Amino acid sequence: MAVSSQRAYLQLLVLVLVVLCLFTSFLLYDSGTDPHDSTTVERLRSRLQERENQLDLLSRGNTGSLRGGEATPPTGNGVAFGFRQLSRGSPGFNGTKLHEDLTATDDALVRELLFRRNTRYWLETKPEWPVDPIPPRTKFVTFSPWRGGFNNIRMSLEMAVAFAAATDRTLVMPPEMNMYLRGKSSLTSYFDYEDLRRGVSVVTYDEFYDLVDFGRFQHERPNARQPHSTVERYYEGLSKMPGVYNTKEHWSTNRIGGDVVYCVPNCPDGNGSGLDKNAHAEYKWFQKFAAHGHKYNMDDPTIADARIVHFPQNLLGHFYTMFYFRDSQRGRRVRRIVRDHVHFREDIIEMAERIINKLQDFKFSCLHIRRNEFQFKDAWTDAETIVANTKRLFSPDELIYISTDELSDEKEHKQKWSDPKA
């Protein structure tokens, strides 16, 4: 009898803690987020850890509910066969069965954990990265983003981050600019600058200006609204500085990042008859990997010894095709730096979550209907044709989120997406 009472008391205590936890989360979540609140990310991590602790308590106190009567495996350092195993895909772990066997209270808890980890994929490996920002190095990477839309600008940033990480240089964030279709803005308006500094050494343009005494060569500093295409004007002084490797001078005309391959530290050599089996296999794979681009050795003194490597609006492409790493582990780490540290700011993630919450937690499909950024009107596809081309992909009652820049006053098109018949 005493055991039953103790168990009932424990279950009641757990239920009260969970309800209190969820209620507190609701207040925090709906209270809004100050875009300039530096504690937002830490608050989120604390909230996540609190929920994982609650799940751990539930799993130890109610094994039958969590595992359908099966024995609970050893807990290790994480939740007892709970969320960490689910997110990391441990062998033998049946995440679907776990989710189906949860009680209603447990289910609400785990769904919130899954929801937040789905939108913050980089949190899974954060303990592996430095807590403090990486200090400035003695060599730098500067770049002007591609003069196109936001996704092209993001690709420029990823390529620059990968180059800085691969060469252990400090990345210089470009100054505020006029972004195509977005007006005057900066990369730090969208990307988490503080977390980026934990993955690679980064400084602002103004910090770089002072660190290298750039004023001796570059007299104009960003202080006025300038078109996006002229952001390169703030790097004109590099042509007068010693020790600068300007890729524009070494790449052929109109070559972009997607057309080149930087080998770290150098490209495999297929010449000679003395190649062993492994060297021959590597060279064969490299020829296939680098078939698309012009090849450069990163240990070439003109690159390795340069104090500054500059990319003047020529970074367009996928960063993972721009680099060939002889050490595969080093290559994986650079790719992981881009994955875990080039991501949106917390306030942008939370705004997206508010939309997702209204769209049944990832149980929906998306259509991106591009309209007004196209300069070519013949690229326009009307609503009826889009529906006809895609209807076989969706279920009859499926929820669809449509993202479009179509204007409400576009009279020349007979049917708009705001029209329920569309």
Side-chain angles (χ1 to χ4, degrees):
M1 189 70 176
V3 174
S4 300
S5 299
Q6 185 178 9
R7 181 176 297 174
Y9 176 79
L10 177 60
Q11 291 177 343
L12 178 61
L13 177 61
V14 169
L15 180 60
V16 171
L17 288 172
V18 170
V19 171
L20 179 61
C21 188
L22 292 175
F23 179 71
T24 303
S25 172
F26 176 80
L27 291 178
L28 288 171
Y29 187 77
D30 277 359
S31 62
T33 302
D34 181 0
H36 303 290
D37 183 4
S38 61
T39 65
T40 301
V41 174
E42 290 306 319
R43 177 165 58 86
L44 169 69
R45 290 173 181 163
S46 176
R47 199 187 320 172
L48 278 170
Q49 186 60 54
E50 189 175 7
R51 274 146 185 76
E52 291 189 357
N53 291 340
Q54 292 297 327
L55 180 58
D56 188 18
L57 181 62
L58 283 169
S59 64
R60 285 186 281 107
N62 190 2
T63 301
S65 169
L66 284 173
R67 293 291 294 158
E70 299 174 24
T72 304
T75 61
N77 293 325
V79 177
F81 228 69
F83 180 74
R84 283 198 178 93
Q85 286 84 346
L86 181 60
S87 64
R88 293 177 185 269
S90 297
F93 176 64
N94 189 335
T96 302
K97 179 172 177 54
L98 169 64
H99 196 272
E100 291 174 349
D101 289 345
L102 291 172
T103 64
T105 303
D106 299 341
D107 183 64
L109 181 61
V110 173
R111 281 179 67 251
E112 181 168 352
L113 284 170
L114 290 170
F115 174 77
R116 294 199 173 275
R117 283 296 174 95
N118 278 334
T119 54
R120 295 171 179 81
Y121 52 86
W122 58 89
L123 290 182
E124 179 185 342
T125 57
K126 270 298 179 287
E128 301 175 7
W129 301 112
V131 176
D132 299 320
I134 299 174
R137 307 307 196 206
T138 57
K139 297 178 180 180
F140 302 87
V141 178
T142 57
F143 76 106
S144 297
W146 184 260
R147 52 191 181 280
F150 182 77
N151 195 49
N152 295 154
I153 294 172
R154 174 190 60 81
M155 296 169 83
S156 293
L157 175 61
E158 289 177 344
M159 284 181 153
V161 168
F163 192 95
T167 58
D168 195 28
R169 292 173 177 267
T170 292
L171 175 69
V172 180
M173 293 293 275
E176 193 173 52
M177 67 197 81
N178 266 354
M179 291 186 181
Y180 179 55
L181 296 176
R182 307 202 68 82
K184 188 176 183 181
S185 190
S186 66
L187 294 177
T188 55
S189 300
Y190 302 95
F191 297 97
D192 190 334
Y193 179 69
E194 293 305 318
D195 196 40
L196 178 61
R197 295 176 65 203
R198 298 184 185 99
V200 67
S201 176
V202 190
V203 296
T204 65
Y205 178 88
D206 286 335
E207 290 171 332
F208 168 75
Y209 196 96
D210 295 330
L211 281 170
V212 301
D213 195 15
F214 201 29
R216 291 187 299 144
F217 311 97
Q218 177 75 31
H219 302 298
E220 184 179 10
R221 300 183 71 160
N223 56 11
R225 183 182 298 274
Q226 299 290 346
H228 175 229
S229 60
T230 64
V231 68
E232 184 63 17
R233 70 188 302 168
Y234 299 119
Y235 293 107
E236 288 176 350
L238 291 176
S239 62
K240 309 170 188 175
M241 288 186 68
V244 175
Y245 178 92
N246 190 326
T247 55
K248 184 177 181 179
E249 299 172 2
H250 296 269
W251 295 4
S252 62
T253 305
N254 297 326
R255 182 167 286 167
I256 60 176
D259 298 330
V260 304
V261 175
Y262 280 104
C263 299
V264 184
N266 48 50
C267 300
D269 185 3
N271 297 325
S273 58
L275 292 178
D276 61 26
K277 184 177 180 181
N278 291 335
H280 178 74
E282 181 191 14
Y283 180 73
K284 187 175 180 180
W285 161 246
F286 171 71
Q287 290 294 95
K288 182 182 297 185
F289 176 87
H292 70 281
H294 190 81
K295 306 162 190 63
Y296 298 88
N297 290 321
M298 205 73 90
D299 61 3
D300 183 333
T302 58
I303 301 175
D305 296 342
R307 188 183 185 191
I308 300 170
V309 175
H310 181 59
F311 296 94
Q313 294 184 328
N314 55 3
L315 289 179
L316 181 66
H318 300 295
F319 74 93
Y320 42 82
T321 67
M322 187 178 172
F323 301 93
Y324 180 84
F325 294 89
R326 303 293 298 274
D327 182 350
S328 60
Q329 185 175 354
R330 184 178 180 184
R332 283 193 296 270
R333 180 167 181 82
V334 169
R335 290 189 290 272
R336 202 64 189 248
I337 287 174
V338 176
R339 175 193 183 274
D340 285 358
H341 294 279
V342 182
H343 58 77
F344 290 122
R345 291 163 42 130
E346 174 62 22
D347 49 306
I348 295 177
I349 296 296
E350 291 210 355
M351 283 191 287
E353 285 179 335
R354 292 176 184 271
I355 298 174
I356 295 172
N357 263 335
K358 297 181 181 297
L359 295 174
Q360 303 176 5
D361 291 0
F362 298 102
K363 297 178 181 178
F364 61 93
S365 295
C366 299
L367 281 175
H368 182 194
I369 310 299
R370 301 178 66 172
R371 290 300 196 218
N372 289 290
E373 82 254 47
F374 282 140
Q375 294 91 343
F376 307 103
K377 296 304 179 184
D378 57 349
W380 191 291
T381 304
D382 59 70
E384 296 93 332
T385 302
I386 292 176
V387 170
N389 290 342
T390 60
K391 64 181 180 181
R392 65 183 179 83
L393 302 175
F394 307 116
S395 303
D397 298 322
E398 186 170 356
L399 182 64
I400 298 178
Y401 173 74
I402 298 176
S403 175
T404 180
D405 60 346
E406 183 180 82
L407 302 177
S408 59
D409 60 349
E410 288 168 353
K411 306 294 186 182
E412 66 273 21
H413 299 285
K414 61 180 180 179
Q415 206 169 61
K416 300 190 294 294
W417 289 100
S418 56
D419 186 342
K421 296 179 182 179

mmCIF file with all atom_site columns, all heavy atoms in Angstrom, residues 79-93:
data_model
loop_
_atom_site.group_PDB
_atom_site.id
_atom_site.type_symbol
_atom_site.label_atom_id
_atom_site.label_alt_id
_atom_site.label_comp_id
_atom_site.label_asym_id
_atom_site.label_entity_id
_atom_site.label_seq_id
_atom_site.pdbx_PDB_ins_code
_atom_site.Cartn_x
_atom_site.Cartn_y
_atom_site.Cartn_z
_atom_site.occupancy
_atom_site.B_iso_or_equiv
_atom_site.pdbx_formal_charge
_atom_site.auth_seq_id
_atom_site.auth_comp_id
_atom_site.auth_asym_id
_atom_site.auth_atom_id
_atom_site.pdbx_PDB_model_num
ATOM 1   N N   . VAL A 1 79 ? 19.216 11.415 -21.474 1.00 0.00 ? 79 VAL A N   1
ATOM 2   C CA  . VAL A 1 79 ? 17.890 10.978 -21.083 1.00 0.00 ? 79 VAL A CA  1
ATOM 3   C C   . VAL A 1 79 ? 17.790 9.474  -21.282 1.00 0.00 ? 79 VAL A C   1
ATOM 4   O O   . VAL A 1 79 ? 18.355 8.925  -22.217 1.00 0.00 ? 79 VAL A O   1
ATOM 5   C CB  . VAL A 1 79 ? 16.845 11.713 -21.943 1.00 0.00 ? 79 VAL A CB  1
ATOM 6   C CG1 . VAL A 1 79 ? 15.448 11.222 -21.610 1.00 0.00 ? 79 VAL A CG1 1
ATOM 7   C CG2 . VAL A 1 79 ? 16.946 13.208 -21.704 1.00 0.00 ? 79 VAL A CG2 1
ATOM 8   N N   . ALA A 1 80 ? 17.051 8.782  -20.409 1.00 0.00 ? 80 ALA A N   1
ATOM 9   C CA  . ALA A 1 80 ? 16.947 7.334  -20.489 1.00 0.00 ? 80 ALA A CA  1
ATOM 10  C C   . ALA A 1 80 ? 16.250 6.916  -21.766 1.00 0.00 ? 80 ALA A C   1
ATOM 11  O O   . ALA A 1 80 ? 15.038 6.903  -21.861 1.00 0.00 ? 80 ALA A O   1
ATOM 12  C CB  . ALA A 1 80 ? 16.185 6.813  -19.274 1.00 0.00 ? 80 ALA A CB  1
ATOM 13  N N   . PHE A 1 81 ? 17.068 6.587  -22.775 1.00 0.00 ? 81 PHE A N   1
ATOM 14  C CA  . PHE A 1 81 ? 16.560 6.214  -24.090 1.00 0.00 ? 81 PHE A CA  1
ATOM 15  C C   . PHE A 1 81 ? 15.547 7.241  -24.578 1.00 0.00 ? 81 PHE A C   1
ATOM 16  O O   . PHE A 1 81 ? 14.493 6.909  -25.095 1.00 0.00 ? 81 PHE A O   1
ATOM 17  C CB  . PHE A 1 81 ? 15.917 4.815  -24.048 1.00 0.00 ? 81 PHE A CB  1
ATOM 18  C CG  . PHE A 1 81 ? 16.405 3.957  -25.170 1.00 0.00 ? 81 PHE A CG  1
ATOM 19  C CD1 . PHE A 1 81 ? 17.718 3.536  -25.167 1.00 0.00 ? 81 PHE A CD1 1
ATOM 20  C CD2 . PHE A 1 81 ? 15.592 3.609  -26.217 1.00 0.00 ? 81 PHE A CD2 1
ATOM 21  C CE1 . PHE A 1 81 ? 18.211 2.745  -26.191 1.00 0.00 ? 81 PHE A CE1 1
ATOM 22  C CE2 . PHE A 1 81 ? 16.068 2.820  -27.253 1.00 0.00 ? 81 PHE A CE2 1
ATOM 23  C CZ  . PHE A 1 81 ? 17.372 2.387  -27.235 1.00 0.00 ? 81 PHE A CZ  1
ATOM 24  N N   . GLY A 1 82 ? 15.851 8.492  -24.339 1.00 0.00 ? 82 GLY A N   1
ATOM 25  C CA  . GLY A 1 82 ? 14.898 9.547  -24.642 1.00 0.00 ? 82 GLY A CA  1
ATOM 26  C C   . GLY A 1 82 ? 15.311 10.408 -25.797 1.00 0.00 ? 82 GLY A C   1
ATOM 27  O O   . GLY A 1 82 ? 15.772 9.904  -26.814 1.00 0.00 ? 82 GLY A O   1
ATOM 28  N N   . PHE A 1 83 ? 15.265 11.713 -25.610 1.00 0.00 ? 83 PHE A N   1
ATOM 29  C CA  . PHE A 1 83 ? 15.374 12.611 -26.751 1.00 0.00 ? 83 PHE A CA  1
ATOM 30  C C   . PHE A 1 83 ? 16.750 12.605 -27.394 1.00 0.00 ? 83 PHE A C   1
ATOM 31  O O   . PHE A 1 83 ? 16.871 12.669 -28.610 1.00 0.00 ? 83 PHE A O   1
ATOM 32  C CB  . PHE A 1 83 ? 15.023 14.034 -26.316 1.00 0.00 ? 83 PHE A CB  1
ATOM 33  C CG  . PHE A 1 83 ? 15.111 14.990 -27.444 1.00 0.00 ? 83 PHE A CG  1
ATOM 34  C CD1 . PHE A 1 83 ? 14.143 15.009 -28.425 1.00 0.00 ? 83 PHE A CD1 1
ATOM 35  C CD2 . PHE A 1 83 ? 16.195 15.827 -27.574 1.00 0.00 ? 83 PHE A CD2 1
ATOM 36  C CE1 . PHE A 1 83 ? 14.245 15.869 -29.487 1.00 0.00 ? 83 PHE A CE1 1
ATOM 37  C CE2 . PHE A 1 83 ? 16.302 16.684 -28.634 1.00 0.00 ? 83 PHE A CE2 1
ATOM 38  C CZ  . PHE A 1 83 ? 15.319 16.704 -29.585 1.00 0.00 ? 83 PHE A CZ  1
ATOM 39  N N   . ARG A 1 84 ? 17.823 12.531 -26.608 1.00 0.00 ? 84 ARG A N   1
ATOM 40  C CA  . ARG A 1 84 ? 19.158 12.584 -27.222 1.00 0.00 ? 84 ARG A CA  1
ATOM 41  C C   . ARG A 1 84 ? 19.375 11.404 -28.154 1.00 0.00 ? 84 ARG A C   1
ATOM 42  O O   . ARG A 1 84 ? 19.930 11.538 -29.230 1.00 0.00 ? 84 ARG A O   1
ATOM 43  C CB  . ARG A 1 84 ? 20.245 12.612 -26.137 1.00 0.00 ? 84 ARG A CB  1
ATOM 44  C CG  . ARG A 1 84 ? 20.398 13.987 -25.492 1.00 0.00 ? 84 ARG A CG  1
ATOM 45  C CD  . ARG A 1 84 ? 21.736 14.094 -24.785 1.00 0.00 ? 84 ARG A CD  1
ATOM 46  N NE  . ARG A 1 84 ? 21.896 15.413 -24.203 1.00 0.00 ? 84 ARG A NE  1
ATOM 47  C CZ  . ARG A 1 84 ? 21.578 15.720 -22.966 1.00 0.00 ? 84 ARG A CZ  1
ATOM 48  N NH1 . ARG A 1 84 ? 21.068 14.810 -22.176 1.00 0.00 ? 84 ARG A NH1 1
ATOM 49  N NH2 . ARG A 1 84 ? 21.757 16.938 -22.502 1.00 0.00 ? 84 ARG A NH2 1
ATOM 50  N N   . GLN A 1 85 ? 18.910 10.213 -27.720 1.00 0.00 ? 85 GLN A N   1
ATOM 51  C CA  . GLN A 1 85 ? 19.047 9.066  -28.606 1.00 0.00 ? 85 GLN A CA  1
ATOM 52  C C   . GLN A 1 85 ? 18.182 9.226  -29.840 1.00 0.00 ? 85 GLN A C   1
ATOM 53  O O   . GLN A 1 85 ? 18.553 8.848  -30.937 1.00 0.00 ? 85 GLN A O   1
ATOM 54  C CB  . GLN A 1 85 ? 18.662 7.772  -27.867 1.00 0.00 ? 85 GLN A CB  1
ATOM 55  C CG  . GLN A 1 85 ? 19.715 7.315  -26.864 1.00 0.00 ? 85 GLN A CG  1
ATOM 56  C CD  . GLN A 1 85 ? 19.574 8.013  -25.522 1.00 0.00 ? 85 GLN A CD  1
ATOM 57  O OE1 . GLN A 1 85 ? 18.861 9.007  -25.409 1.00 0.00 ? 85 GLN A OE1 1
ATOM 58  N NE2 . GLN A 1 85 ? 20.269 7.498  -24.521 1.00 0.00 ? 85 GLN A NE2 1
ATOM 59  N N   . LEU A 1 86 ? 16.998 9.797  -29.637 1.00 0.00 ? 86 LEU A N   1
ATOM 60  C CA  . LEU A 1 86 ? 16.098 10.004 -30.767 1.00 0.00 ? 86 LEU A CA  1
ATOM 61  C C   . LEU A 1 86 ? 16.712 10.966 -31.774 1.00 0.00 ? 86 LEU A C   1
ATOM 62  O O   . LEU A 1 86 ? 16.679 10.736 -32.977 1.00 0.00 ? 86 LEU A O   1
ATOM 63  C CB  . LEU A 1 86 ? 14.755 10.562 -30.261 1.00 0.00 ? 86 LEU A CB  1
ATOM 64  C CG  . LEU A 1 86 ? 13.676 10.818 -31.315 1.00 0.00 ? 86 LEU A CG  1
ATOM 65  C CD1 . LEU A 1 86 ? 13.328 9.520  -32.024 1.00 0.00 ? 86 LEU A CD1 1
ATOM 66  C CD2 . LEU A 1 86 ? 12.449 11.414 -30.670 1.00 0.00 ? 86 LEU A CD2 1
ATOM 67  N N   . SER A 1 87 ? 17.323 12.052 -31.276 1.00 0.00 ? 87 SER A N   1
ATOM 68  C CA  . SER A 1 87 ? 17.887 13.053 -32.185 1.00 0.00 ? 87 SER A CA  1
ATOM 69  C C   . SER A 1 87 ? 19.177 12.567 -32.832 1.00 0.00 ? 87 SER A C   1
ATOM 70  O O   . SER A 1 87 ? 19.537 12.996 -33.913 1.00 0.00 ? 87 SER A O   1
ATOM 71  C CB  . SER A 1 87 ? 18.152 14.356 -31.424 1.00 0.00 ? 87 SER A CB  1
ATOM 72  O OG  . SER A 1 87 ? 19.128 14.148 -30.437 1.00 0.00 ? 87 SER A OG  1
ATOM 73  N N   . ARG A 1 88 ? 19.915 11.671 -32.197 1.00 0.00 ? 88 ARG A N   1
ATOM 74  C CA  . ARG A 1 88 ? 21.179 11.195 -32.752 1.00 0.00 ? 88 ARG A CA  1
ATOM 75  C C   . ARG A 1 88 ? 21.047 9.863  -33.467 1.00 0.00 ? 88 ARG A C   1
ATOM 76  O O   . ARG A 1 88 ? 21.996 9.380  -34.056 1.00 0.00 ? 88 ARG A O   1
ATOM 77  C CB  . ARG A 1 88 ? 22.215 11.076 -31.631 1.00 0.00 ? 88 ARG A CB  1
ATOM 78  C CG  . ARG A 1 88 ? 22.610 12.420 -31.033 1.00 0.00 ? 88 ARG A CG  1
ATOM 79  C CD  . ARG A 1 88 ? 23.579 12.218 -29.891 1.00 0.00 ? 88 ARG A CD  1
ATOM 80  N NE  . ARG A 1 88 ? 23.879 13.483 -29.240 1.00 0.00 ? 88 ARG A NE  1
ATOM 81  C CZ  . ARG A 1 88 ? 24.880 14.284 -29.579 1.00 0.00 ? 88 ARG A CZ  1
ATOM 82  N NH1 . ARG A 1 88 ? 25.660 13.950 -30.563 1.00 0.00 ? 88 ARG A NH1 1
ATOM 83  N NH2 . ARG A 1 88 ? 25.095 15.407 -28.948 1.00 0.00 ? 88 ARG A NH2 1
ATOM 84  N N   . GLY A 1 89 ? 19.850 9.251  -33.417 1.00 0.00 ? 89 GLY A N   1
ATOM 85  C CA  . GLY A 1 89 ? 19.628 8.021  -34.156 1.00 0.00 ? 89 GLY A CA  1
ATOM 86  C C   . GLY A 1 89 ? 20.445 6.853  -33.650 1.00 0.00 ? 89 GLY A C   1
ATOM 87  O O   . GLY A 1 89 ? 21.139 6.188  -34.400 1.00 0.00 ? 89 GLY A O   1
ATOM 88  N N   . SER A 1 90 ? 20.386 6.570  -32.339 1.00 0.00 ? 90 SER A N   1
ATOM 89  C CA  . SER A 1 90 ? 21.164 5.460  -31.782 1.00 0.00 ? 90 SER A CA  1
ATOM 90  C C   . SER A 1 90 ? 20.703 4.133  -32.369 1.00 0.00 ? 90 SER A C   1
ATOM 91  O O   . SER A 1 90 ? 19.506 3.936  -32.605 1.00 0.00 ? 90 SER A O   1
ATOM 92  C CB  . SER A 1 90 ? 20.992 5.434  -30.252 1.00 0.00 ? 90 SER A CB  1
ATOM 93  O OG  . SER A 1 90 ? 21.507 6.619  -29.689 1.00 0.00 ? 90 SER A OG  1
ATOM 94  N N   . PRO A 1 91 ? 21.632 3.186  -32.589 1.00 0.00 ? 91 PRO A N   1
ATOM 95  C CA  . PRO A 1 91 ? 21.266 1.873  -33.122 1.00 0.00 ? 91 PRO A CA  1
ATOM 96  C C   . PRO A 1 91 ? 20.266 1.168  -32.215 1.00 0.00 ? 91 PRO A C   1
ATOM 97  O O   . PRO A 1 91 ? 20.392 1.179  -30.998 1.00 0.00 ? 91 PRO A O   1
ATOM 98  C CB  . PRO A 1 91 ? 22.598 1.124  -33.161 1.00 0.00 ? 91 PRO A CB  1
ATOM 99  C CG  . PRO A 1 91 ? 23.631 2.196  -33.188 1.00 0.00 ? 91 PRO A CG  1
ATOM 100 C CD  . PRO A 1 91 ? 23.069 3.325  -32.387 1.00 0.00 ? 91 PRO A CD  1
ATOM 101 N N   . GLY A 1 92 ? 19.269 0.563  -32.796 1.00 0.00 ? 92 GLY A N   1
ATOM 102 C CA  . GLY A 1 92 ? 18.291 -0.195 -32.040 1.00 0.00 ? 92 GLY A CA  1
ATOM 103 C C   . GLY A 1 92 ? 17.195 0.634  -31.416 1.00 0.00 ? 92 GLY A C   1
ATOM 104 O O   . GLY A 1 92 ? 16.289 0.105  -30.772 1.00 0.00 ? 92 GLY A O   1
ATOM 105 N N   . PHE A 1 93 ? 17.255 1.938  -31.585 1.00 0.00 ? 93 PHE A N   1
ATOM 106 C CA  . PHE A 1 93 ? 16.237 2.785  -30.963 1.00 0.00 ? 93 PHE A CA  1
ATOM 107 C C   . PHE A 1 93 ? 15.076 3.017  -31.912 1.00 0.00 ? 93 PHE A C   1
ATOM 108 O O   . PHE A 1 93 ? 15.259 3.490  -33.019 1.00 0.00 ? 93 PHE A O   1
ATOM 109 C CB  . PHE A 1 93 ? 16.858 4.123  -30.560 1.00 0.00 ? 93 PHE A CB  1
ATOM 110 C CG  . PHE A 1 93 ? 15.852 5.086  -29.992 1.00 0.00 ? 93 PHE A CG  1
ATOM 111 C CD1 . PHE A 1 93 ? 15.201 4.793  -28.816 1.00 0.00 ? 93 PHE A CD1 1
ATOM 112 C CD2 . PHE A 1 93 ? 15.571 6.272  -30.648 1.00 0.00 ? 93 PHE A CD2 1
ATOM 113 C CE1 . PHE A 1 93 ? 14.281 5.679  -28.286 1.00 0.00 ? 93 PHE A CE1 1
ATOM 114 C CE2 . PHE A 1 93 ? 14.661 7.151  -30.126 1.00 0.00 ? 93 PHE A CE2 1
ATOM 115 C CZ  . PHE A 1 93 ? 14.013 6.857  -28.937 1.00 0.00 ? 93 PHE A CZ  1
#
